[in-house]
């Protein structure tokens, strides 16, 4: 619809919208995160939900303890190799549409603990990540910024067409293989369908 | 942290109370001057029980148990050896010749116990035990029956160093998963190569 | 709740007791809202009663010790921040103390005072948050935790203005501290110290006499003094069992011998005592803060002769320990004369305090397990390292 006509109509008390806008408006303002803390970043995540930063302003204060009721997984902290299968399993248990925020340097790449033998070098080796927040740990403001970024991302998602998101495509996977404990590390070390590291090619 | 009773006194008391036990004092040259006592395997549990129950010592609190890895070391030293050398003139003559000699010091694993007394408020008394080697004989007696605080820490030393504590009630891997094959805190541990997939300039 | 009933087991045990119900084996965690991080307990239940409980660790084992053995003495300090991530200041101090013992480094007077001030502030925010989390586990959703975090944020602001970071302060160095504090900062700290008892009164009014709190905690998870000592329990948990052992009094590390404060002790060793000990300790910490803030001298904040970069202590070893908010935090260092420690071992109080978790939980209900675990005060970064 023509924007000017829309504004003109609203002046007369008639509000028009599209189904897509309404749908995304509802979704983006009621993102329910999973109660899921891994390490130091989890404390900052709790601080974000407390009175001072008040995540409730973004409609995201309802932390759900069950993955079946959650829309968003905040990977808040170091994912170790021992924990990684559980993280993937929890992700698989969440219903679509689902989103992932990788909070902090460890969740992105292993961060300061990257050299550790039991540390996974980034959760994006096994599950797709929507928003990355750098920091060690990121401040609560940074987490809120990540929320707003995620809200913008949800708002821009189309219901139809080739550009529609993963959860609306029937043949796209909603679950990813859970890595297994091997003798020296996780097997496989990454999921090549998900993990596309940036490579600087040539010189 | 004052060491009210010296290691020599403790060694003497220990050897008097537990017949046949062999203890060796290891000097610590750092400013902390926390000297330690190396004890033998057979009498370790008795020695530990004595240290805990002796009215003068009362080391009732085992604070810290650490595994330490000492891999095989090669010491290169230069030695002067007398050798018979034939001079250009054709005479046999004895001469001092410098030779490099390499000695292999076999490696071992070590468990270090830091003991304190809550009752008498003294410490630390440092106990050490060493395994025969780093391979199949990496065994030590467990002191968990004496101090339960050693339970998780001995399990950790087993998990990360591969020290088998005999007599431990529940010796399983604690930090890594069951089925993990390596002992990652050892000095010669090499992490798997698959971890090196990363953005690298080619 | 994502506690998973993994299997129904133990037919032979069942037939041995005469069948009335079935034994369940439940895996609580590693993702469980009440386990304070990624911690798992394998619990065997007879109805509601716990008959066996085995803690499983390692879900946050991020190889702190291995990394520190490959890095220089200075480079390990930011990693100590991330051990017990609620109390970076005391972790820094424990490590700095061990290195100071190893290399014989003196600490200037002013730095000692700043260390005491920051460490006691850390203790305040740790204990306040712990009580909030404990009450959260009991079902008091939000309110006590919100109160605690309100106070915690004030202390974090103070840390941020001093060190540049809210949580990971990376502040202390062997031989002193990194930056000096201004007189305004001391004034702000004084304000917090003066207003904190008011918060404690409010907190106590809300909680201490609360009937539900008493019913859920009194007589729950009792721990005898003998077992506590033998199992190496330290910190508020040991003192709740009535054992008078506070390293600030015993070792008198730093300058703790200059302050007047009492060591609160419990009678029963149950969860309620552990809760009360922490409240009383906070009041004592405020006293220490008041005294330290009144007496802090001018002067240098770091030993000028110490090389921070490229420190090479003589070959030898040292064990240094402090009274952290969770118990005895120790660092065992072996130097071989090079720039990085040959062996670097952390003695994590919260891990060793879990030794008696099973003893405290046997025969109790599942709901009590959550409360007992909450009263131990664990942080997984320190348990697993």
């Amino acid at each position: 619809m023509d924007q000017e006509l829309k504004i003109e109509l609203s002046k007369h008390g008639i509000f028009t919208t599209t189904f897509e806008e309404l749908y995304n408006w509802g979704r983006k303002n009621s993102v329910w995160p999973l109660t899921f803390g891994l390490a130091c970043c989890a404390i900052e995540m709790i601080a974000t939900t407390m009175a001072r930063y008040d995540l409730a302003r973004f409609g995201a204060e309802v932390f759900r303890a069950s993955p079946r009721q959650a829309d968003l997984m905040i990977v808040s902290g170091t994912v170790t190799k021992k924990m990684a299968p559980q993280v993937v399993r929890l992700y698989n248990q969440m219903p679509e549409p689902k989103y992932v925020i990788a909070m902090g340097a460890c969740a992105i790449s292993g961060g300061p603990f990257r050299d550790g033998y039991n540390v996974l070098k980034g959760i994006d080796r096994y599950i797709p990540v929507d928003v990355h927040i750098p920091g060690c740990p990121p401040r609560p403001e940074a987490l809120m910024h990540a929320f707003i970024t995620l809200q913008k991302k949800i708002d821009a998602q189309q219901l139809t067409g080739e550009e529609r998101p993963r959860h609306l495509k029937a043949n796209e996977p909603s679950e990813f293989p859970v890595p297994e404990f091997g003798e020296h590390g996780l097997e496989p070390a990454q999921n090549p369908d998900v993990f596309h590291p940036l490579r600087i090619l040539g010189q | 942290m004052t060491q009210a009773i010296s290691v020599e006194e403790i060694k003497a008391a220990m050897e008097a109370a537990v017949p046949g036990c062999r203890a060796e004092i290891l000097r610590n040259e750092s400013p902390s001057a926390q000297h330690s006592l190396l004890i033998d395997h057979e009498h370790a549990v008795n020695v530990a029980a004595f240290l805990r129950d002796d009215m003068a010592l009362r080391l009732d609190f085992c604070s810290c148990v650490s595994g330490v890895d000492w891999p095989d070391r090669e010491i290169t030293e230069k030695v002067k050896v007398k050798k018979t050398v034939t001079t250009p003139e054709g005479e046999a003559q004895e001469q001092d010749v410098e030779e490099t000699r390499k000695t292999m010091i076999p490696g071992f694993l070590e468990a270090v116990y830091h003991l304190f007394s809550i009752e008498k408020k003294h410490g630390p008394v440092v106990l050490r035990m060493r395994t025969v080697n780093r391979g199949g004989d990496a065994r030590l007696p467990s002191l968990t029956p004496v101090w339960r605080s050693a339970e998780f820490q001995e399990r950790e030393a087993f998990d990360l160093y591969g020290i088998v504590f005999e007599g431990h009630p529940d010796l399983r891997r604690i930090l890594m998963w069951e089925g993990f094959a390596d002992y990652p805190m050892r000095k010669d541990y090499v992490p798997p190569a698959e971890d090196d997939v990363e953005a690298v300039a080619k | 709740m994502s506690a998973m009933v993994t299997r129904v087991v133990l037919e032979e045990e069942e037939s041995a007791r005469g069948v009335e119900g079935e034994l369940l084996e439940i895996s609580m965690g590693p993702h469980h809202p009440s386990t304070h991080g990624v911690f798992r307990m394998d619990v065997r239940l007879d109805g509601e009663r716990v008959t066996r409980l085995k803690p499983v660790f390692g879900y946050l084992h991020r190889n702190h010790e291995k990394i520190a053995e490959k890095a220089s003495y200075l480079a390990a300090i930011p990693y100590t921040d991330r051990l017990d991530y609620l109390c970076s200041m005391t972790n820094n101090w424990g490590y700095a103390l061990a290195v100071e013992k190893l290399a014989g480094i003196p600490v200037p007077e002013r730095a000692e005072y700043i260390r005491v001030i920051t460490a006691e502030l850390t203790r305040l925010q740790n204990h306040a948050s712990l009580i909030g989390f404990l009450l959260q586990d009991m079902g008091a959703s939000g309110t006590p935790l919100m109160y605690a975090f309100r106070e915690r944020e004030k202390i974090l602001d103070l840390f941020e203005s001093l060190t540049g970071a809210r949580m990971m302060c990376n502040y202390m160095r062997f031989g002193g501290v990194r930056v000096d504090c201004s007189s305004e900062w001391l004034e702000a700290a004084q304000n917090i110290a003066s207003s904190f008892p008011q918060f404690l009164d409010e907190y106590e009014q809300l909680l201490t006499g609360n009937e539900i709190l008493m019913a859920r905690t009194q007589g729950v998870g009792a721990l005898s003094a003998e077992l506590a000592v033998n199992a190496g329990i330290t910190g508020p948990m040991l003192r709740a069992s009535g054992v008078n052992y506070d390293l600030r009094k015993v070792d008198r590390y730093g300058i703790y011998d200059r302050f007047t404060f009492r060591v609160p002790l419990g009678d029963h060793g149950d969860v309620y005592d552990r809760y009360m000990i922490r409240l009383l300790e906070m009041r004592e910490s405020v006293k220490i803060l008041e005294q330290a803030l009144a007496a802090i001298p001018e002067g240098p904040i770091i030993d000028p002769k110490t090389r921070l970069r490229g420190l090479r202590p003589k070959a030898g070893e040292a064990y240094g320990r402090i009274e952290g908010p969770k118990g005895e935090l120790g660092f065992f260092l072996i130097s071989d004369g090079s720039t990085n420690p040959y062996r670097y071992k952390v003695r994590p109080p919260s891990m060793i305090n879990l030794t008696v978790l099973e003893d405290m939980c046997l025969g109790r209900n599942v709901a009590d397990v959550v409360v007992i675990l909450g009263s131990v005060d664990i942080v997984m970064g320190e348990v697993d390292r």
Side-chain angles (χ1 to χ4, degrees), chain B residues 118-149:
Chain B
I118 287 183
E119 200 180 297
K120 304 272 180 198
K121 307 228 178 342
H122 65 84
V125 172
V126 191
L127 279 192
R128 300 181 109 88
M129 289 192 288
R130 286 175 180 173
T131 62
V132 181
N133 58 33
R134 299 169 76 245
D137 281 330
R139 281 194 293 272
L140 288 177
S142 166
L143 299 187
T144 304
V146 183
W147 294 288
R148 249 193 87 185
S149 50

Side-chain angles (χ1 to χ4, degrees), chain C residues 97-109:
Chain C
L97 193 82
V99 179
E100 282 153 15
K101 273 179 187 295
L102 183 68
I105 302 171
V107 183
E109 187 100 324

